[in-house]
Amino acid sequence: MLASQVQKVSPARLRSFSTSRHPHFEHNLNGSYCINALLLYQPLPSIEENPPFSAQQVNVQHFPTIPIAEWVHQGQPNLVLKTVKSFIEWRKQETLPPSAYRTFNVLYDDPNTTRDEDYRFGVACEIPQEKTIDHSNIEKKHIPAGLCATVRLIGDDSQIGAYVHELYASWLPSTLFVLRDFPIFIERVRFYPEVGAADAITDIYLPIEEAQSK
């Protein structure tokens, strides 16, 4: 099932998504940033007893349209690193450093319930609106404007699954919002080696809209 589908998701399905393998960013030898090929299996903590964040920490905000260059990895999750390294090289050639242009991942599919050949993971960065792209695997796209529920994670990626689960399974049903037609995405605000893993900052965005009254 696609994260972009606007529909209710069962608690069991949410639990499956929340225990997905979430790749880490690491620093490679030439000083660029990439995703760790060793995708993690993180056991889901008791969310009901130990939620990773409180409802007061969730902000609902209007996210503006942002032009991005995106390489959508399709295929085995453990081959994401190859895609990311290629994207990094292109980004360096195009002079789009993380210090000046925001870094995003788009979580299209759950690797635990998606066939390897169908699995998609978006690797993206912000680009100038006027920029043209001449690359067979990279497309110019936009993260569309709209409401997003956002929560900030400080620390390594091991808690991303729990944060996603809490947004979907606990926070969203307690509101008057529903999902809108764009996948959940994350922004890498600060990451290694700029900061240590424990001080990394990741913003998680859940695209939402107000529910239509019947």
Side-chain angles (χ1 to χ4, degrees):
M1 186 184 75
L2 302 184
S4 59
Q5 289 178 314
V6 182
Q7 56 179 299
K8 291 185 177 180
V9 186
S10 69
R13 177 67 185 81
L14 290 166
R15 183 169 290 274
S16 173
F17 184 87
S18 69
T19 55
S20 298
R21 297 160 286 175
H22 290 278
H24 281 240
F25 273 81
E26 63 180 13
H27 186 238
N28 69 15
L29 295 179
N30 63 11
S32 55
Y33 301 92
C34 58
I35 290 177
N36 193 330
L38 300 176
L39 301 176
L40 301 181
Y41 293 85
Q42 292 295 337
L44 184 68
S46 177
I47 299 296
E48 293 78 9
E49 297 179 4
N50 302 295
F53 58 85
S54 68
Q56 290 72 30
Q57 291 175 271
V58 180
N59 294 313
V60 174
Q61 64 184 64
H62 183 272
F63 192 91
T65 299
I66 293 183
I68 60 171
E70 183 183 29
W71 187 322
V72 178
H73 169 86
Q74 182 160 352
Q76 296 181 16
N78 63 358
L79 296 179
V80 167
L81 178 59
K82 182 178 179 181
T83 299
V84 174
K85 285 184 175 180
S86 297
F87 183 82
I88 289 168
E89 290 305 313
W90 174 86
R91 188 174 182 177
K92 291 166 66 176
Q93 293 170 8
E94 298 294 320
T95 317
L96 297 168
S99 59
Y101 297 94
R102 299 164 73 176
T103 301
F104 297 97
N105 294 137
V106 184
L107 310 183
Y108 290 101
D109 298 302
D110 175 357
N112 283 340
T113 59
T114 305
R115 295 183 305 175
D116 281 355
E117 59 267 31
D118 296 329
Y119 175 72
R120 296 168 302 155
F121 182 89
V123 184
C125 70
E126 180 184 14
I127 58 173
Q129 180 64 52
E130 67 279 4
K131 184 172 181 59
T132 58
I133 295 175
D134 183 17
H135 191 287
S136 59
N137 293 308
I138 299 175
E139 294 184 50
K140 183 177 182 178
K141 299 182 180 180
H142 290 81
I143 296 177
L147 290 178
C148 285
T150 180
V151 63
R152 172 160 287 188
L153 166 62
I154 298 178
D156 65 38
D157 286 6
S158 64
Q159 287 296 303
I160 286 182
Y163 273 61
V164 168
H165 177 276
E166 183 73 5
L167 277 174
Y168 272 119
S170 298
W171 181 84
L172 185 62
S174 70
T175 71
L176 297 177
F177 297 106
V178 295
L179 300 177
R180 59 183 171 93
D181 195 17
F182 192 78
I184 191 167
F185 61 97
I186 63 177
E187 179 181 359
R188 305 289 182 165
V189 180
R190 299 183 70 188
F191 45 92
Y192 183 86
E194 177 189 356
V195 295
D199 297 317
I201 299 176
T202 304
D203 285 342
I204 302 170
Y205 291 92
L206 181 66
I208 55 175
E209 62 188 4
E210 294 182 1
Q212 300 297 317
S213 59
K214 296 182 178 179

